[in-house]
Amino acid sequence: MCCKMRMESSEEEEDDFPCIESVTLQSKIDSIYQSKTEKGIRKICFELLDLKDAVENLCGNTQTKCLAFLRLSEEVVETEHELNELRKHISAQGILVQDLMNGVCRELDEWSQASGDVQEADESSRSTDYGDTFRNDMEDENVLFLENIDVLLAEHKIEEVIEAIDAKERSHPELKSSGETSSTEPSSFKSALSKRKKMLENQLVEITERPSIGIVELKKALSGLLKLGKGSLAHQLLVKSYRSRLQKSIEGFLPLCPCYPETYSATLSNLVFSTISLTTKESGAMFGDNPVYSNRIIQWAEREIEYFVRLVKEHAPPSDGAPALHAASVCAQASLNHCNALEKQGLKLSKLLLVLLRPYMEEVLELNFIRARKAVLDFASSDEGKPLSPRFASPLSTFATTSDTLLVESGMRFIYVVKEIVEKLTQLVILHFGVNILTRISLLFDKYVDSLIKALPGLSEDDNLTELKEPVPFRAETDSEQLALLGTAFTIAEELLPMVVSRIWNVLNESKDVGSENMMPAANNTVELKDWRRQLQHSLDKLRDNFCRQYVVNFIYSRDGDARLDAQIYLSGVGEDTIWDTDPLPSLPFQALFGKLQQLATVAGDVLLGREKIQKVLLARLTETVVMWLSDEQEFWSVLEDESAPLRPLGLQQLILDMHFTVEIARFAGYPSRHVHQISSDIIARAVRTFSARGIDPQSALPEDEWFTETAKGAINKLLLGGSGSDVSEIDDDHIIMHDDGGMSDSDGSPSSLSSADSSESFASAQMGDLDSPVDFSDPDS
């Protein structure tokens, strides 16, 4: 009843929701999917069982096969053992057969001797058969030997192959002979063995050419080639291997060269020469002192040195800079040291290295000195960053108060650039290139002197036309400036340059004392200190002569070009200076010369304080220049030698007195006077000849020699005592002014010659006293 009601109720509900599909019960769903899952699991289980059976079968088959393989291996080992035993047995049988053959042969020999010629023929036939058998046994042995060699070659067992071949050749010396044997079989074996040896040789060569081969492995391979009799090939491979190692080292270092511009060359030198040294040692250890191999090492080393020098040039800093000079010096120093070490190993490479390095060193030195010349002659450049020690700066700084600062700066710049160059040089570079460097320093100083000459006042407008084309940084117009200019040059040449280059002289002198062949420079690379200083002195003389010439010419000629020292003053009746009294004086130009020299000596005492030798030589040269001008001036002599000129004894007497006066100036001041004395004597002799040709007898017209000497001395004393009064002759730009308080009278005597008497008085200063003549300073006549 209840069921029926529920059914009715459900029907009613279904009727109430006609749009909803029928709903499957959960139990129904579970029954359906549960049956499918169980089926799948069952299927998987069956497949797993099948897979398990297959794996078990496979494992069984593998185990069976492994067991079969092991059994087969055991059988192979047993077979090899049996084969070895069989070989031993065959060898024993062969020995037995050989012994039997020897015994049978002996018996056959005995029997043949008893049997006659017919049996002898049969015996020969049998012996041939036995010999064939013996050869067949030997052939089998050779075949086995070659097969063993082939196996070892295939396995690359190089050492075992070498030992086997070496043992075979020792037991059969005929295999080493180059000729062919009479039989065919031994020659065929020898040919086959040669082929194996060639294969072995190729393998050894291949080993040596491996890029990563070690030294030990390389030595083993080369030793193998030596045992094969390939010594020449082994040596070539040794050199080739070390050359390849060197090339790799250089290629690895070259990118680093810009990081070490001054020391890279030394590193390259170490790489190259250490490899050459190592190769030489290995060659001597493996190949002995064979001249052929030694020459090959030398040729290879020479090529490597050429390559090394080329690399140094290619990677060097700019040649005109100080780093390039230092790099070249370091390179030469390191390389020459290595060459000296290699000479102990029998390699003499120093001369070749110097020949190859010399052009490079010459180029670097040339460009550095060109740079130095530009720096020295550039007076407008600043000296900031170029400090000099007081040792070098103090002697030049004394001229700073009396001259243009550019002059002092130029002197300091000159010393600085020379010092910089010398400091970049190494000992061996100085030893082999020192003379070249000294010569360039003297040439640089000569160029510097030329620039100083341009600063002196010109001789005339015409002479200055060429100089005006070039800019002159400063002019030395006053006496103090010109003396400072001269003092600067003399200080550099006499004091500072010798200090700067003392290191060069010390090295050269030490090499002479040592006397070693490796240390001694070449015969044409020696120079004496006095010769080098003579070169500097030549430049100083040029500067001094230019100063004296312009100074004397400016004294003799006025601005208008008229000569103050004119021949007219020696003609009768011309000028009041020709009227003599009891206390005659030299002519006005020579009195003015005395005043100028006295004035210049006073200025020189202040500017060139402590440099008395420079003062004396300079003033002596000025005096000498005056008499030289008078001796060579053709216009002066043409007036006197003119037949229409009114010559009188008084004129000759005045000229001779002037010459004595000039000599006494030099003598009293302590100057070197021998040259002045000689030129003055020549002038007097010429004047006497000129006056004699006009009928004037010098013997009767002139006083005695002592009169001229005493008169000249008295004139000097009078001028000195009247220096502050009105009795001193003065000179301005255009005229000579004479303040005289006494008259002149005629005097007669005999012809005069120059006096050689000494005096302790000086015209420059009453306190100067006797001045010693400078010895071999700048005047060759001192």
Side-chain angles (χ1 to χ4, degrees), residues 494-564:
E494 295 297 325
E495 299 179 27
L496 302 182
L497 264 185
M499 287 194 294
V500 172
V501 303
S502 60
R503 179 166 170 259
I504 298 178
W505 288 113
N506 291 337
V507 172
L508 294 177
N509 292 332
E510 288 174 2
S511 67
K512 294 179 182 178
D513 296 337
V514 172
S516 172
E517 180 181 356
N518 296 333
M519 291 293 295
M520 284 294 291
N524 58 351
N525 195 33
T526 58
V527 67
E528 295 294 336
L529 176 60
K530 60 181 181 180
D531 295 333
W532 180 72
R533 298 194 69 155
R534 188 177 293 114
Q535 297 174 6
L536 299 182
Q537 191 60 55
H538 177 74
S539 300
L540 290 177
D541 292 345
K542 180 170 60 174
L543 175 62
R544 181 202 60 197
D545 292 345
N546 274 274
F547 166 79
C548 293
R549 186 166 60 252
Q550 62 86 19
Y551 195 89
V552 169
V553 169
N554 288 335
F555 161 74
I556 293 175
Y557 291 97
S558 65
R559 291 180 178 178
D560 299 332
D562 298 330
R564 298 188 180 102

Side-chain angles (χ1 to χ4, degrees), residues 633-685:
E633 182 59 29
Q634 295 301 321
E635 184 177 352
F636 176 88
W637 291 103
S638 64
V639 173
L640 292 180
E641 294 171 353
D642 187 359
E643 295 182 355
S644 61
L647 298 182
R648 294 293 184 270
L650 191 61
L652 177 60
Q653 186 173 349
Q654 183 68 57
L655 178 58
I656 295 174
L657 177 60
D658 290 342
M659 293 300 99
H660 276 272
F661 179 73
T662 306
V663 172
E664 291 303 324
I665 289 176
R667 194 186 312 282
F668 285 160
Y671 303 155
S673 58
R674 185 162 59 90
H675 201 195
V676 176
H677 189 286
Q678 180 63 44
I679 299 174
S680 299
S681 297
D682 295 339
I683 293 174
I684 292 175

Side-chain angles (χ1 to χ4, degrees), residues 23 74 173 177 228 234 253 255 293 310 312 329 404 431 457 479 525 559 599 630 641 683 689:
V23 178
E74 292 176 357
S177 62
L228 292 177
F253 175 74
Y293 299 149
R310 189 164 64 251
V312 170
S329 299
D404 195 307
L431 182 66
D479 289 349
N525 195 33
R559 291 180 178 178
Q599 178 186 2
L630 187 61
E641 294 171 353
I683 293 174
R689 290 195 300 271

